[in-house]
Amino acid sequence: MLELAIREEHVAAVVTQPDRPSGRKRQVNPPPVKVLATEKNIKILQPQNVSHPDVIKKIGNLKPDLIVVVAYGAILKPPLLELPPLGCINIHPSLLPRHRGPCPIEWTLRKGEKTGGITCIYMDEGMDTGDIIIQRELDISVSDTTGSLREKLSRLGAEVLAETFNRIKKGKVSRKPQKGNPTYAPMLEKKDCLIDWSKPAPSIHNLVRALNPHLGARAYPNGQSKKLIIWETELSGEGNKGAAPGVVTGTSEDGITISTGEGCLLLRSVQPEGSKIQTGAEYIRGHNIEKFTLRACC
């Protein structure tokens, strides 16, 4: 989205989060938007608190006509919202008022929804509660993960942002209040990653999709303390043949078939704790699995 804005608009500055440790080695890395802004010689601000009076003064000195917010991770307060004469707009990756909050893509998938989208709103003091400028839908496939859906929504978001800019320039921006019952998409924690094999196979499949490529859904083979992260699954279409939830009902070159509370699930891609990602077929060659069990913690 920044690339698009650089081509068509004057970007006075980019405000992003401070550099933070990431990865297994916890190396301090800059946010991707900082890397791109550096390449384009755009001024960069990385405040610890964007609502601090000194930060608001710095942004005010730039005299922005419009502030665009995309996945910033903090709520803007009135002194900042009131700075630009054309307002503050936000690109949010869900069909608001569904999935307000920090993890809309993950919750869209976890709920098994077949339609997602982008909403551009005028920001107010609430969390994703502002009036809608533009809303666009897209179809979600049964194989989409958070990673693939985020990529699709990023491209759609860039198109929506460009259309919003054009409407603002022409003075043809309409706004409408959000309608319908809002839902909230909170941050996912490790406890949310545990697979409950008594759930139906589609529910577990949706959890796996939602947690790929970040946290990963967690399972414990043969009651062991070491977890197995499940990265990719497929609905097998088989009944569980009376097998208890979590029991291995078959293995093949396609992966490991597990019974659930309703139907069976094929594990295609897994990662043993402390090891690399491998196919389900590769994993079973070195492990004798009979049953996956529930655990109380991660």
Side-chain angles (χ1 to χ4, degrees), residues 173-192:
V173 179
S174 61
R175 53 195 298 168
K176 57 182 180 181
Q178 296 182 29
K179 293 183 179 180
N181 295 323
T183 61
Y184 183 63
M187 294 291 292
L188 292 169
E189 303 176 12
K190 286 186 177 180
K191 63 180 178 61
D192 300 311

Side-chain angles (χ1 to χ4, degrees), residues 1-9 11 36 155 157-163 165:
M1 293 185 201
L2 178 61
E3 188 76 63
L4 175 143
I6 290 170
R7 287 198 300 265
E8 299 187 359
E9 313 297 333
V11 180
L36 180 57
R155 292 194 294 269
E159 295 172 6
V160 168
L161 185 58
E163 184 176 346
F165 285 163

Side-chain angles (χ1 to χ4, degrees), residues 237-255:
E238 299 180 10
N240 58 20
K241 303 175 184 178
V247 170
V248 176
T249 60
T251 59
S252 68
E253 285 303 309
D254 292 327

Side-chain angles (χ1 to χ4, degrees), residues 16 24 32 35 41 44 59 63 67-68 71 79-80 126 212 216 238 255 285 297:
T16 187
R24 294 182 65 179
V35 175
N41 295 315
I44 301 166
I59 297 174
K63 300 188 182 306
I67 290 178
V68 180
L80 187 54
N212 180 345
E238 299 180 10
R285 292 190 187 107
C297 65

Side-chain angles (χ1 to χ4, degrees), residues 157-213:
E159 295 172 6
V160 168
L161 185 58
E163 184 176 346
T164 302
F165 285 163
N166 290 335
R167 291 188 185 185
I168 290 174
K169 288 177 182 178
K170 295 176 182 178
K172 296 182 178 180
V173 179
S174 61
R175 53 195 298 168
K176 57 182 180 181
Q178 296 182 29
K179 293 183 179 180
N181 295 323
T183 61
Y184 183 63
M187 294 291 292
L188 292 169
E189 303 176 12
K190 286 186 177 180
K191 63 180 178 61
D192 300 311
C193 302
L194 287 170
I195 293 177
D196 181 351
W197 297 101
S198 68
K199 300 286 187 182
S203 176
I204 298 172
H205 178 62
N206 291 336
L207 176 66
V208 172
R209 297 162 64 211
L211 297 174
N212 180 345

